[in-house]
Amino acid sequence: ITTSLWGAGGFGKTTIAEMVCASPRVRERFKGGVYRFTIGREVRGRADIAARVAEVTRFITGDTEQFSDPAEAGRHLGRLLDQRKRTLLLLDDVWTVEQLDPFLHGGTHCVRLITTRVPSLLPVGTQTIQVDQMTLEQARTVLTRDLDGLPPMTIGALLDVTGRWALLLRLVNRQIKAQVETGQDPARAAEEMLHELRVQGPQGVDPAGAVFDVGRPEERRQAIRATVEAATGLLPQGGMERFAELAIFAEDEAVPLPLIARLWQRTGGLGERASRELCAQLAGLSLLSLTRDDGGRISLHDVIRDYLLSAQDPTRLAALHGELVDAVADGLPEAAPPSAGAPAGHPAWWELTDGYLQDHLIEHFVAAGRTELAEVIASDLRWVEERLVRHGANAPQRDLAQVPTADAASRAHSLA
């Protein structure tokens, strides 16, 4: 049985899927295990898809066989799943038929739960559940969390202008809460937030504040822009610029806070303490998620990341990627050139210990326009060896949410 939760971004598909997977009843049912893997938009092309299937296979079964063809990799995974007890496989954020097809082979005792924004990619016979607007009761609960004294008419109007969109409701709630914590009257804070959304959101300057049509992508983009801009107005000087710079980090990844601090040191002169304080402020406004894992990690919802990317000049983005790799290089020793003609003073990139950088360094080089250097690094046997060791021996013990996009071998192949 293949089941799918589908709908636009920010409505809670992943949250609902994770709640299902955490259910004791579900875990009792699937003796072979419950596994969650994020696919994401950035897994494109045969090499990346085959690598992702291989990573899933390795994580679940420990099998390390590699395939260049996604269908072959999928059939191999299916045969291994056939040998296991009943298993639940959550494939989160699937975007294309090519991404999904390899995971549908075999696995007689495997149930697939898929989240997607593209229901047309689902196979015939899939049980589909649309996740869209919250009910009035649910939306009111999210909007008024930790807030007392909001006038009923204001609550109703805010539910209209947010379209009962889970992501937007949470952002609005946190912004009102931030104002209340400064001593502002809750009703006044809510009225100001309502005015901001009516003026800057999908309804423009319409004083009637017509109901936001959450089904229209353009209206969702306008609503996110208005809400994020209102939130960043609460940040200290330079806070919006630093926040926007987070868009360069890979989608669906938990990014180490010390790495962000290294970027912000170069772009804004922030030390690690100031960087942590800013991240805490951003998390308090629900503009990002912050955890204490491994010294602190942040992640952006892809709806917010998309907004940040769309608001920046491509030249600026390329420069930011360059600033990041330069900041990383500053902390590495120099190594002998890997081959004749390689740049002098080449840092020993294979000595990186941070998992995020090991998985995405090549992407940042390419995005910075340094493709030739990316090819040199990706084809350096010292780098490849370190990547293979990391993705071979260590992969089965790693957190499910941190499964990388592709291993070094496939990246080197793609770049070459």
Side-chain angles (χ1 to χ4, degrees), residues 39-57:
I39 306 301
R41 283 174 295 191
E42 297 183 0
V43 178
R44 299 185 296 267
R46 291 168 57 82
D48 272 0
I49 295 173
R52 178 50 59 89
V53 178
E55 288 160 3
V56 172
T57 304

Side-chain angles (χ1 to χ4, degrees), residues 161 197-206 209-213 219 222:
V161 298
L197 287 172
R198 281 179 169 171
V199 172
Q200 303 297 334
Q203 288 75 45
V205 294
D206 176 13
V211 176
F212 162 35
D213 186 352
E219 292 202 11
Q222 287 180 276

Side-chain angles (χ1 to χ4, degrees), residues 207-228:
V211 176
F212 162 35
D213 186 352
V214 76
R216 296 180 179 177
E218 181 56 35
E219 292 202 11
R220 292 199 300 271
R221 284 190 288 270
Q222 287 180 276
I224 281 292
R225 183 188 67 236
T227 311
V228 170

